[in-house]
Each structure stands twice: as structure tokens, then as C-alpha cells.
Amino acid sequence: MCKITAVVNQKGGVGKTTTTLNLGYALAEKGKKVLLIDLDPQSSLTVSLGYDDNDSITTTIASLMSMVIEDEELPDKKEYIISVGAIDVIPCNIELSAIEVSLVNAMSREMILKTVMQEFKEYYDYIIIDCSPSLGMLTINALAACNSVIIPVTPEYLSAKGLELLLRNIIRVKKKINEKISIDGILLTMYVERMNLSKEIKEMIEDAYGKTVHIYTNRIPKSVKVGESTMKNKTIIEYAKNNKVAIAYQELAKEVLDNECSTN
Ligand SMILES: Nc1ncnc2c1ncn2[C@@H]1O[C@H](COP(=O)(O)OP(=O)(O)O)[C@@H](O)[C@H]1O
Ligand SMILES: [Mg+2]
């Protein structure tokens, strides 16, 4: 069984891409077969893996989705899945923003990504989708294709306030399109333990959602090393394995695997 997780939040800069990459890497370190999908037209995940010139990549998640829309056969997966160390990736470039527009008139427009994924999901234990900062058609496609979601949230007032709208949207997709979605959890990122604001927002989230949604006990701390690792095209775990963020993502991977065992 492949677990397909969408990392979602309509707010930008909350750690979706960082979480996708580092959780994916940590799961691969534990022997899992992992695929990451870059579903953000800004392509931060693709760029952070070292594909700066991503406009020249010929087959991306955008072209695969476009083939499904046009009813064309998809190429062999060897032609578009890139292996970066222990993880596999389907990259992205700015063409994905044109796909989002063409989805508006496509048949079964919510199901395009899910159809693409039929081609390769049997080869992976985990597929993690890095979503764009919007609740548009691309994110709906991710929610329709996944069986779980992780919601990174930073300890800021606006980030916490946006949760209500996001959860409402996820529940709507669950009712109408994909009853398999489980909200695996809210993940606090860029958390500064000694800051009152961090604590206050954490409590606000726990009060508002703690009864209905799991909040990961592992919080991801803030560290300047994260930015440095991105510049070096490395995960934080490779760049600074004793760093607190590296350790937190490895602990998160453990928590993800443990939750798996207890629900199976
Ligand atoms: N734990 C962290 N500590 C410090 N900086 C972080 C951390 N996680 C992410 N960042 C930085 O914050 C910015 C936004 O993170 P990113 O993962 O790209 O968010 P999103 O994908 O939600 O837009 C990036 O510059 C990233 O390097
Ligand atoms: Mg991102």
C-alpha cells in the first residue's frame, strides 16, 4: 500500500517544501521507497534539489498532467522520474501555472493528478506532494489524489487563522471527491521554544483544533541552517545532521511510521 501525503497550506512560507523534502529524505533513510512530487508552479522543491534551470526539463508534472488532459499515453516512468540520492522526484516548472488554467475546462478536472499517479504509485511506500500556496485547482487535485494530509503551520497569528479555511476546504473535498483523506496532523514549523508568541499560538491551535485534528508532538524548530542547506542543494539532514531541525524531521518520520503501525 502506498501512502500518498499532500503537504498543504494556502499560506506561503510555512515550511511545506522544507517538510516535503526533509520528511521524504528521513523516510528514505529508514528504508522506505519515497517519491516527491513538486506541485507548485514556483518549483521551489525542484530548484532546491539543484535543478536551477528547470525550464529546460522536458517532462515535468505539468507535462504529465497535460498528457492526461489530452488523453495521450504517458511515457515510461524512467523518462520523467529523477533520482536524487535515495529519493525519487517528479520535477516542476512554470508551465504548471498554465495547466492550472487549462484544468478549469478539463473533464474530470479534479482527478487529473490522481490519474497520472496510477502509473507509478505501486512502486512506492510514500509519495509526498508539495502543494502550492493556494486552494486552487492544483491543490484540489492533490487532495483528490492523496490519502492523507500534513498541514505545516508557523506560530504566527495569520498562519493559525488560515487553518479554519483550509480545514473547511479539506472537509469539503473529503465529502465530495475523496472520502479516503485523513488529516494526519498539524505540524508546527519554525517554532521558537522560548518565544511567548510561539507558545500562545500553539495553545490557540490546540484549543481550537486539538480535539478534532492530531497535532504532531514533534515541532520543527527554527534554524538558519535550513536556508544554508537549501543554498547547497541539500536536505538539512545531509547538511547538518546534528542540527535541531535535522533531528526534528527524523523524529517526525518516526512519528509518521509509528502512526502507520497503530492504524494498520
Ligand atoms: N525550520 C526552519 N527554520 C528556519 N527557516 C526555515 C525552516 N523551514 C523553512 N524555512 C525557510 O522558510 C522559508 C519558507 O519555507 P518553505 O519550506 O519554502 O515554505 P513553503 O513551501 O510553505 O512556502 C524558506 O526560505 C525556508 O528556507
Ligand atoms: Mg513551497
Side-chain angles (χ1 to χ4, degrees):
M1 252 294 278
C2 174
K3 175 144 186 180
I4 303 169
T5 301
V7 180
V8 287
N9 193 329
Q10 75 276 22
K11 196 167 180 326
V14 296
K16 290 182 289 296
T17 302
T18 308
T19 298
T20 302
L21 179 62
N22 287 284
L23 175 62
Y25 186 88
L27 287 168
E29 262 192 327
K30 295 190 180 305
K32 300 294 172 188
K33 196 95 185 64
V34 178
L35 173 74
L36 310 181
I37 299 181
D38 189 351
L39 198 67
D40 180 356
Q42 288 174 43
S43 315
S44 314
L45 180 68
T46 304
V47 173
S48 75
L49 288 163
Y51 293 89
D52 288 330
D53 183 21
N54 54 341
D55 286 340
S56 64
I57 302 174
T58 48
T59 311
T60 61
I61 194 64
S63 46
L64 296 171
M65 288 177 78
S66 151
M67 287 173 207
V68 169
I69 294 169
E70 302 294 331
D71 242 342
E72 290 167 21
E73 200 143 313
L74 299 190
D76 188 279
K77 67 184 198 328
K78 280 197 219 90
E79 286 179 35
Y80 55 81
I81 293 181
I82 300 176
S83 293
V84 187
I87 36 184
D88 284 359
V89 182
I90 300 185
C92 181
N93 61 25
I94 191 68
E95 280 170 30
L96 189 62
S97 54
I99 296 296
E100 175 142 44
V101 177
S102 62
L103 277 173
V104 172
N105 295 313
M107 248 209 293
S108 311
R109 56 188 182 168
E110 293 94 355
M111 298 300 172
I112 306 296
L113 181 67
K114 187 178 173 136
T115 309
V116 171
M117 287 172 55
Q118 300 302 339
E119 296 288 313
F120 45 75
K121 69 173 194 199
E122 65 185 287
Y123 301 101
Y124 294 96
D125 301 313
Y126 286 89
I127 297 179
I128 309 179
I129 309 169
D130 184 20
C131 291
S132 66
S134 91
L135 289 171
M137 209 25 91
L138 287 171
T139 299
I140 303 288
N141 264 262
L143 292 175
C146 72
N147 40 41
S148 86
V149 294
I150 292 179
I151 305 171
V153 179
T154 50
E156 294 160 339
Y157 184 66
L158 290 178
S159 181
K161 281 311 264 182
L163 270 177
E164 204 171 302
L165 178 66
L166 175 57
L167 289 169
R168 225 182 305 137
N169 270 275
I170 295 172
I171 287 162
R172 207 162 64 202
V173 174
K174 188 177 163 88
K175 273 198 192 134
K176 299 208 161 145
I177 310 176
N178 178 10
E179 60 183 25
K180 290 204 192 103
I181 306 180
S182 93
I183 303 177
D184 274 3
I186 295 173
L187 175 68
L188 278 152
T189 60
M190 298 181 231
Y191 193 81
V192 184
E193 210 67 51
R194 57 174 196 287
M195 246 176 71
N196 284 337
L197 182 64
S198 281
K199 222 188 286 161
E200 270 171 43
I201 301 283
K202 174 175 89 65
E203 280 161 12
M204 183 177 139
I205 292 171
E206 281 168 353
D207 287 347
Y209 307 107
K211 285 205 185 74
T212 45
V213 184
H214 176 68
I215 300 167
Y216 286 104
T217 49
N218 282 293
R219 297 184 280 271
I220 310 298
K222 194 172 194 168
S223 164
V224 290
K225 293 276 179 202
V226 174
E228 291 173 27
S229 69
T230 311
M231 250 174 68
K232 302 270 186 218
N233 303 137
K234 285 196 163 92
T235 62
I236 181 74
I237 301 164
E238 294 165 290
Y239 181 72
K241 75 172 183 341
N242 297 320
N243 176 270
K244 57 190 177 182
V245 177
I247 294 167
Y249 275 115
Q250 286 169 314
E251 289 297 319
L252 177 68
K254 263 192 228 157
E255 197 174 347
V256 166
L257 292 171
D258 287 347
N259 290 350
E260 219 64 54
C261 297
S262 58
T263 49
N264 279 345

